[in-house]
Amino acid sequence: MKIRSGRRKHLSADFIPIAENAGLLPSLGEWVLSRAMEDWSRWPHLEISVNLSPVQFRHVDLEATLRKLIAEHGVEPNRFVLEITEGVLLEATEHTNSILDALRSIGFKTALDDFGTGYSSLAYLCNFKFDKIKIDRSFVGRIARVDISRTIVQSVVTIGRALGMDIVAEGVETEFEAVIMTKLGCTELQGYYFSKPVDADRMAELLSTFQPKCLSPSLMPVQLVAPHGSTG
């Protein structure tokens, strides 16, 4: 998500801390969810991913908010993936667990975002049920030159697939990275190799021109993950 001020674009990393300090994140988070559901009506065949912040778990009745937005926009919850970072899980309480269970009972899918950074632990995969694991781009970027990155990715893929989760590789920028991550077992790839982030008005053009990339004769076409644009 970006905010435009004059000719400048401010990334979320710039303004999110300010919004949090000002107590605006709950309202901002609800607006993002509402906008994502509004945009989904333009592409009902796609999954839409939206990031949730720890603040939304602490200070918002998230279940009630989502039920209200579903009713307002008439969306299908199973077409949305709610992405959760380790910041939520580090503060995990019975309240957190009950919210995650409620989100899944409503029909939303959940993803563990940026896996492999910070204090990310394999215990999260055992203690919480996710539909997807998103492998952090730092592992993808080193995959060509650091053997241990391949070993770690392969281990995460093996565990995740055994638990019935899809595996998303983030930050794929080259064909080589796409080939390696696919061979290691990732089920979805996301990154500049497919497209830079685009706003909602340009998504129709992207979808009409996008062709699945056949990475090699022995590999099936990989799945496009909608770029993060105005909805997340």
Side-chain angles (χ1 to χ4, degrees):
M1 186 172 69
K2 303 178 180 69
I3 288 181
R4 186 184 297 275
S5 175
R7 294 186 176 180
R8 290 191 61 193
K9 287 184 177 180
H10 301 276
L11 301 177
S12 58
D14 299 324
F15 63 79
I16 289 296
I18 298 173
E20 183 171 5
N21 289 335
L24 298 175
L25 266 190
S27 298
L28 181 61
E30 181 172 345
W31 178 86
V32 169
L33 287 165
S34 180
R35 177 61 187 270
M37 292 184 183
E38 178 183 341
D39 286 342
W40 175 83
S41 64
R42 301 161 69 174
W43 325 296
H45 58 294
L46 292 183
E47 281 187 348
I48 302 291
S49 294
V50 184
N51 296 94
L52 297 180
S53 75
V55 172
Q56 288 171 287
F57 278 77
R58 290 196 302 265
H59 301 302
V60 175
D61 188 339
L62 194 53
E63 180 182 358
T65 296
L66 287 166
R67 289 188 183 278
K68 180 189 73 171
L69 293 174
I70 290 170
E72 288 178 358
H73 295 283
V75 300
E76 300 173 20
N78 63 357
R79 305 306 295 173
F80 290 83
V81 181
L82 303 179
E83 299 187 0
I84 297 159
T85 64
E86 68 169 347
V88 172
L89 304 183
L90 282 172
E91 304 172 3
T93 62
E94 287 300 319
H95 176 66
T96 305
N97 291 335
S98 66
I99 293 175
L100 290 173
D101 289 341
L103 300 183
R104 291 178 58 83
S105 68
I106 294 171
F108 289 101
K109 297 178 182 178
T110 56
L112 179 55
D113 196 18
D114 298 333
F115 188 81
T117 60
Y119 296 96
S120 291
S121 167
L122 292 176
Y124 294 153
L125 306 184
C126 299
N127 297 334
F128 302 95
K129 175 62 177 175
F130 293 99
D131 297 285
K132 300 185 180 189
I133 304 170
K134 302 190 71 173
I135 297 175
D136 187 71
R137 68 185 64 190
S138 61
F139 288 98
V140 178
R142 295 195 302 249
I143 205 74
R145 58 188 185 276
V146 182
D147 288 341
I148 194 171
S149 290
R150 298 192 192 189
T151 302
I152 292 172
V153 169
Q154 182 68 79
S155 299
V156 172
V157 168
T158 300
I159 294 171
R161 296 294 294 275
L163 294 172
M165 303 179 195
D166 288 327
I167 314 297
V168 183
E170 297 185 282
V172 175
E173 297 189 356
T174 67
E175 182 176 14
F176 178 80
E177 291 171 354
V179 169
I180 293 299
M181 298 307 286
T182 302
K183 286 187 174 180
L184 289 175
C186 292
T187 54
E188 299 177 25
L189 308 179
Q190 173 184 317
Y192 281 16
Y193 178 61
F194 304 99
S195 171
K196 292 183 177 180
V198 298
D199 60 32
D201 292 335
R202 294 182 57 200
M203 273 295 292
E205 177 185 354
L206 173 64
L207 293 172
S208 66
T209 58
F210 178 80
Q211 294 294 324
K213 294 177 180 288
C214 294
L215 303 178
S216 80
S218 62
L219 294 175
M220 295 295 290
V222 297
Q223 180 176 344
L224 169 70
V225 176
H228 287 269
S230 62
T231 58

